[in-house]
Amino acid sequence: MAQASINSDYSEWGLSTDAGERARLLQSPCVDTAPKSEWEASPGGPERGTTSTLGAVFIVVNACLGAGLLNFPAAFSTAGGVAAGIALQMGMLVFIISGLVILAYCSQASNERTYQEVVWAVCGKLTGVLCEVAIAVYTFGTCIAFLIIIGDQQDKIIAVMAKEPEGASGPWYTDRKFTISLTAFLFILPLSIPREIGFQKYASFLSVVGTWYVTAIVIIKYIWPDKEMTPGDILTRPASWMAVFNAMPTICFGFQCHVSSVPVFNSMQRPEVKTWGGVVTAAMVIALAVYMGTGICGFLTFGAAVDPDVLLSYPSEDMAVAVARAFIILSVLTSYPILHFCGRAVVEGLWLRYQGVPVEEDVGRERRRRVLQTLVWFLLTLLLALFIPDIGKVISVIGGLAACFIFVFPGLCLIQAKLSEMEEVKPASWWVLVSYGVLLVTLGAFIFGQTTANAIFVDLLA
C-alpha cells in the first residue's frame, strides 16, 4: 500500500518515478501507516505503528466530526423532538461502535490495512467491487454536499458585506451560482489535481477548530438568544415511527468514520481488538456529546423552523456566527480535495483492475488519466451542487450510503468470518455473532432502501 505522503516539491504535478495512486488507497488523511511486510505479518513480528491510544481516539473523533454537524438540529426536528433524537442516537451508537470493532477484528484476521481491502479479503470479489463502487459514490455525493455548504455560508456572508436585506437580488457577482463556481475554480480545483495530498494536517486542524467553534456558538446562542430569534413549534413526540427512521441517514452521515477506521487501527502501537474497543467507545462518546449539544440546542433555539443547515437559521449580521461560517468554508475547501482524492483512487483501482494492467506498468498514462478524472469529477459535482441547492436532500442520499459502511459491510464481514470457521460443533456464541451480523445487514439495507425510495418516489415526483 502506498502512503498518503506529504510532498514538498513540484514534481507531484507531473510524471513521477512512483507507480502513481495505488489501486485501493483510502487511508485516513491523519494517519501514516508503514507498508506491511511478511515480517510484520508474522504473529510474533514487532508492531511498527506509531499512533498511541490517545492519539487514535483523537483521530477517530476527527474523522467522525465534520460538516454533518450542521444537520443534527434538523435531525432532532425530523425525529420528533429531543427525547426521540437522544433515544435514536443512543440506540444507533451501539451498532456504530460494534461495526468499528468488527472491522478491526476482520482486519487483523485478514491482515489487510484498508476498509475495502478487508471487504475484498473476507467477503470476496463481488462484495469487494460493490464496496469500492459505494465508496466512490459516497465520496462523490459528499463533495456535492461540500459545495452546497460553501454556497450556503457564502450567501450569508455576502449579504452582510453588501448590506442587503436577506432574499434581495444583488449584482451579478453576488449570485450564488457565480460565487460557488468562482470559489471552486480558484481553490478547490488546483488542490484536487496533485497526485498526492500535502495538506492533510492543516485540513485536520481547521476541521477540528471549526467543528468545536460551531458547537460552542450553537450552545451559547441557545443560552443567551438574540431578541430577534423566535423559535417555531417545539415538537415533543414523533409524528410517526417513519419520521424517526427518516432521521437515521443524517445520524449515519455524521458518525460515519468506518472507512478510515481500519488504517487508524493498523497505525496503532498495539493494534489489539480489545484496546481498539476502548478507543472507539471513547471517541464515539465524545462525538455523541458534540452532536447532541449541537442538535439539542439548535433544535430548541429554532424548533420545527430550523433549517437543514443550522447556521442558515441565524441572522446574517451576527458576527460570531459569521466567524463560524468562515471556519466551515475553510474546512470544506480543504476537505473536498481529500474526499476527491479517496474517490479518485478507488475509481483508478477499478479501472486498472478492469483493464488488467498492473499499476507499475501504467505510470506513463497516470498523469493524463488523473487530470481527466479530476476534471470530470469536479465539473459534475459543481453542476449538481448548482442545481441541487437543498443540502438536506443530498445528506439523506449519502446518509443511506453511509449506513452501508456502518452496518451492511461490517455485518457481511462478520457473517463470512464466522462461516469460514471450520469447527464441527458451533458454540452458542457463534450463532449469536452470525445472527448479529444478519441484524446489521438488515438494518443497513433498510436505511439504504428507505433513503433511495424517498429520493426516487418523493423528490422526483414532487
Side-chain angles (χ1 to χ4, degrees), residues 149-159 176 179-180 183 325 329:
I149 290 171
I150 290 174
D152 289 342
Q153 309 312 323
Q154 283 181 334
D155 286 347
K156 291 282 188 175
I157 294 175
I158 291 173
R176 175 190 177 93
T179 56
I180 294 178
T183 304
R325 295 188 180 107
I329 290 174

Side-chain angles (χ1 to χ4, degrees), residues 150-230:
I150 290 174
D152 289 342
Q153 309 312 323
Q154 283 181 334
D155 286 347
K156 291 282 188 175
I157 294 175
I158 291 173
V160 174
M161 295 176 63
K163 297 181 179 180
E164 295 176 351
E166 292 189 33
S169 58
W172 61 270
Y173 52 83
T174 63
D175 181 74
R176 175 190 177 93
K177 293 179 180 179
F178 175 77
T179 56
I180 294 178
S181 301
L182 182 64
T183 304
F185 274 100
L186 287 180
F187 298 102
I188 292 178
L189 182 58
L191 293 175
S192 300
I193 292 178
R195 183 179 55 83
E196 302 285 357
I197 302 175
F199 45 84
Q200 301 105 323
K201 294 182 179 179
Y202 303 105
S204 242
F205 176 75
L206 288 173
S207 296
V208 171
V209 172
T211 299
W212 286 95
Y213 182 81
V214 169
T215 300
I217 287 297
V218 172
I219 294 174
I220 291 171
K221 291 295 181 181
Y222 168 67
I223 299 173
W224 296 287
D226 296 335
K227 294 181 179 179
E228 61 269 20
M229 291 192 308
T230 55

Side-chain angles (χ1 to χ4, degrees), residues 87 109 116 137 159 168 172 198 248 251 263 278 295 329 333-334 353 376 397 436 460:
Q116 61 270 34
V137 175
W172 61 270
M248 282 185 171
I251 297 174
I329 290 174
L333 283 176
T334 51
R353 194 178 298 111
V376 171
V397 174
Y436 186 72
L460 293 182

